[in-house]
Structure formats: C-alpha cells, structure tokens
Amino acid sequence: MASPRWFYQISGRWLPWLSLLTFVSIIIGVIWGLGFAPQDAKQGNSFRIIYIHVPASFLALVGYYIMAISGAIAIIWKIKLADVVMKSAAPIGASLTFIALLTGAVWGKPTWGTYWIWDARITSMLILFFLYLGVIVLQKAYSAQGLSNKAAALLALVGTINIPIIYKSVDWWYTLHQPATIKFTEAPSMHPDMFQPLLIMIIGFYLFYVTALIVSMRAEIIFRERNTSWVKELALNLKDKRPI
Amino acid sequence: MPDPKNILMNQASVKTLSLKDLSFQRNEKFLFSNISLTLESGDILQILGQNGSGKTTLLRLISTALRPYSGEIIWQGKNVNDIRESYLEDVLFLGHQPGLKRLLSAEENLVWWRRLNKTNLSKNVNAFEEVGLYNHKDEPCNYLSVGQLKRAALARLYVSEAKLWILDEPFTSIDKEFSIKLKSLIVSHLKRGGIVVLATHQDLKIENMKYFSISDLSGATSE
Amino acid sequence: MNNIGFLAILRRDLLLAVRYRGDLANPLIFFFIVIALIPLGLTPDSKELSEIAPGMLWITALLASLLSLDGLFKDDFADGTLEQIIILPQPLYFMVLAKTIVHWVVTGLPLSLLAPVLGLMLSLPETGYLPLMLSLLIGTAILSLIGSVGAALTLPLNKEGILLSLIVIPFYMPVLIFGSNMVVLAVDGLSIASPLAIMGALLALSLLISPYVTSCALRLSIYG
C-alpha cells in the first residue's frame, strides 16, 4: 500500500473523473461569476476578477501547508509517496501564488489606479511567493547533484512556523505606514448572488489543485521508477498501442 | 548472507556490537540491504567493496552519523539510538578527511578533540612522539604534508579510551614504516578487548580477521 | 555536562576567528562601503538621508550578516571536523548554538558597534544611535540564528552563495520590519517598547528552535 506504483495505478482510474469535475465546476463558476452575478456597487465589473483572485490566493497558502506537511511525513516516516507530493506541490503552489499576484495587480489598476501597491496582503502574498521560490530553487540544486530533496522539505517546514510571524509582522508594518489616501476596504459583505459562484470557483480550484498535483506526481513517479520493471512494461505497452 | 559466526572471547568485560538487518537507501536505491553481523571484543572486521559501493556509508551508519533506512545497530544489547551518548563515548571514528583545523596546530587540534570526547586529559601519552610528529606538533596544520596530516589525525588512537574503532581508509597516504606501527597499534587494541571496523584495500594479515564484502549485495533494487 | 562541548567549540571558533583576522573585517568593510553608496546613488542632502537612514542601515547590516553566513559550516565540512562534531557524545544542539554565537560575535556584534558611526554619516539624529545599536544587537543575533538553518541546508551545494540568500531573506523580513521600526520610533521620540518586546520574543523563539532545526538540517544535507 501507498507505494508509488499503487498510487500510479489507482490515480489513473480517478484522473478522468477528477478532470471532468474540475472542468465542469470551473466552467460553471466562470460563466456564472463573469456573466450572471450582479455588478459590485462601487467597483463595477472589475470586481469580477475575485472569481479567480480569491480562490488562487486561498490555495496558494493551503498549498504551502500541503507541501510542508507532506515534506514532514517524507522526512519522519520516509514515505516515498509523501516525498513525491512535496516535490510536485511546490511548482503548483508557486504558480497559484503568481496567479494571485497577477490578478491582484490587474484588479489594482481600476481600483487604485496603479498595478502595484505595497498593501499588507499583497506584500504577504509576495513573501509567500519568495518562500515557494526558495523551496523550488533548493530542490533543483539538490536534484542537480543527485541528492534527495529532504533539505527542501525541511525548509518548507521551517516556512510553516514562519508564515504566521511574517504575516503578523507585515500587518503590523502596514498599519504603521498606512497611507491615508488609499485605503483598501475589506471585501464588502457579499451578496449571496455574488458569493455562490465564488464558492463554486473555490471548489473548482481545489479540484484543479488535486488534479494538477496528481498529474505532476504521476510524471515524477514514472521518472523516479524509470528503472523498475513495471515502468518499462508500461512504456512497452504504450508503444504497442500507438499507431505507427 | 555472510554472517560471520566465529566468535572469539579473550576478555572478561566483553563488548558486543551487532548489526541487525541493516539497510540503506540513497536516491531510491538500496546501497545495501539486510546486513546482519555480530562483533565482540577482540574482533576486527574489514569491509571490502569497490569504490562507491558504500563502505564509507556503512561506517557512518555504525558511527550514527547516518541513520539507517531500516534495521538497527545494537551495542551491549541496546539500540544505539536509545543510548546514543554513552555509545558514542565508546566510539572513535576517523573518516576520509583528517578532521583537523588547518589554522590550529596538531596539538591544539588533539586537545580540542580530547576535551569534546571527554577523554581523560591527564592521561599523558605522548601521542605525537608515537606518530613521529613531535617536532611539528606546534606548527599550524597548514604546514603539514598530507601524510603528516594523516598521522596527526591518527594520533587520536593513542589517547582515545574508546572501545570501538571505526576507521575509514586509515592506511592511505602513510608510509610503510608507519603502516606497520599502525597495524601493531590495532592489534594491541584488539588484545585489550577492543573492536575495530575498518575499510581498506590493504591485506592486513591480522589473525582472525573477519571480512564483509558489500559488493556481494550490490544490485539490490527497491521494492 | 553539555557545556563542555559547547565551551570547547566556542573557544576553538573564537580562536580561529582571531587567527584569521582577515575574515573578521570583511562584513564591516562591506557595511561601510555600501553605506557610502547610498548618498552617491540618492542624494547628499542630509535631511533626505536622515529619513531613509534607519532602513538603509538596517538593510545593509542585514546583508553584511547574510554574506558572512556562507562560511559558517563550510570549513568544518571541508576538513572533516563537522563529521567529528556530529558524532560527539553530546547533543548537537549545543555545538550548533556555539557556532552560531561565534558567528554573531564576529559579525553582528561589531556591525552593531560600528552602526552609530555610519548613522552619523547618514545624518541619523542622535536620539537614534542607541536604539540603532540595541536593535542591531538583538536583530543580528536573530539573523545569525535563522541564517544558520540556511547555511546548513545549502552546505553540500556548490553554488550556495546566492542560493543561501534566496532562501534566507524571506525569513529575515520580520526582523527587518521591527528592527528598523524601532529606530524610526526612537527618532520620532516615541516609545520603542513594543518592537523591542517583539524582537525579544523573536530572539527567544529562534534561540529555542533554530539550533535544533540546524542540527536536523546538517544531518539531512550532508548525508541525504
């Protein structure tokens, strides 16, 4: 159980269903959110970017903890599959963080009149992005030398202790330096008509995260186990099936 | 499975080191798996194997620098992870690198090492006379040649109170004369009831030498 | 007792630092040179300089401490003494703590003492001198502790210089925020109690956790 091979086989069966669910929920969420949800009283149509921004920021943070916890499991219990999760989760989380930053900037232009502003939440998100980059860079450096990525797992774990401290200190910093002219209001209490499509988008992003993680893990497993007989067999079968 | 069973006893307080189903993995591959063997006071084990076969790794496992993938190391009937500190007081490990600070003299290095290992500092053995470095013991190690550095590192053998010596390639870069001396030092350690585990390519011709070859096991793949 | 090993490492590393004084001066020279860049790159106007002085002094001190981290375990790793330290019959925690303290003594401490002079050059108001020193004394200690984790994690890599900075800087950010803020508050004539208390808490936390994490990181990174 829980061997990479077992996971590869079982995830192969889940994958079509998961992809379908992801696709359906994101399509529904996008059409509903962009086409049918009511306009925001102050921000007009530009607020609609929250249907991507909020779920992405949400999963960016959750993704860091998923990565760190699986890293801890890989170090402590030496479970190979957890190590694969850790390695695959890093670039996905970093991409989501990047999407959150990018959509935040696009949203900022009509809202604040500028693409970038040193707001507490944006700054925290940026630091989270740096934390991801650190883990990825360390992973790459170790694998380039043929070493395991346990060091990166430990770094991710240290990051989890630090994220609350970093977030709190950025909040503290921001309240001290808060410019009087621009004040970003908290997302106003949302109308249910706006909230329902957001919920669907959040679910859709969760599903997307899991799907992307599984696809990436499968690739990593095949790579790691490339010298085992079951992968070689798999490759041969694939070759036979392919029309020449 | 090579499991040397010929046990030899020549001391009242017999020390025992056993490896039980010891396995180690690197990059998803087993370097070796299920090594089991037992050594007692007076035993010497020579680990054989090609370059990169994992000799150093096995020595590091025994010295607890590395943790095994599975299996355990038993000292005096107890898992070494549970008695780490008292076990390590009985262990002397000399690795590939001499483990000497180049800016300190050979003597400063030795004093530092003795202090850390809680060896009895008042026990006055002139280790540097023994290794032939007496005239150089106050020079910074920077000025020593490779062979002299090795000797300075081996000086620890003369002051150590450890029962278990783990030596990684102790005979490289030392001359023939000192090799003979080192060999007799090892033999006298065994006679005092010590245990020696070493990796070397030399044929030492010590009586009752046990051998363990890692290459026998190479090629074992994961799962 | 644990303090035998702790003191032995402390003594040896201090002795090594004294024997090799060249390295001792490097962070200080770096601190000095970069501070000299600031008026050249921005403005010689003392009023404008005095406004950015706390942040600039702090950022530069942070970088000076960061750049000297590289060698924390590297020499011991290369000559095999680190291997000897790892298998000592004593907890690795104290060995690592001793090495980190020495790092602070040879970088953070002199940087903190030099800081008021450089503050003077950046027209930092005099009321900021003592808080600057105090914040740097505590802050650089935290930086050394956090940095030791990064130094351990990048130990076996060849190109660790820039990599170490990449992975460590995000963790330095809270220290920078509170450290430079302490100076700003003092210059404005306000109480520095709250950032001081937070820095104290951060120091206590990193004293507790960092050497332990560094010990784990050393084992993981050296031997995989």
Side-chain angles (χ1 to χ4, degrees), chain A residues 208-235:
Chain A
F208 167 75
Y209 183 88
V210 174
T211 312
L213 191 63
I214 288 176
V215 170
S216 168
M217 282 172 69
R218 283 164 64 86
E220 179 70 21
I221 287 170
I222 291 288
F223 178 73
R224 288 190 186 190
E225 311 252 310
R226 62 192 178 278
N227 289 327
T228 60
S229 54
W230 74 268
V231 172
K232 282 177 184 154
E233 225 167 87
L234 202 73

Side-chain angles (χ1 to χ4, degrees), chain B residues 100-113:
Chain B
L100 300 165
K101 294 312 284 184
R102 300 292 200 272
L103 292 168
L104 301 181
S105 71
E107 177 141 49
E108 281 169 327
N109 269 300
L110 188 67
V111 169
W112 177 75
W113 184 86

Side-chain angles (χ1 to χ4, degrees), chain A residues 132-143:
Chain A
Y132 268 121
L133 287 186
V135 172
I136 294 171
V137 167
L138 198 60
Q139 254 175 11
K140 295 262 183 255
Y142 270 87
S143 61

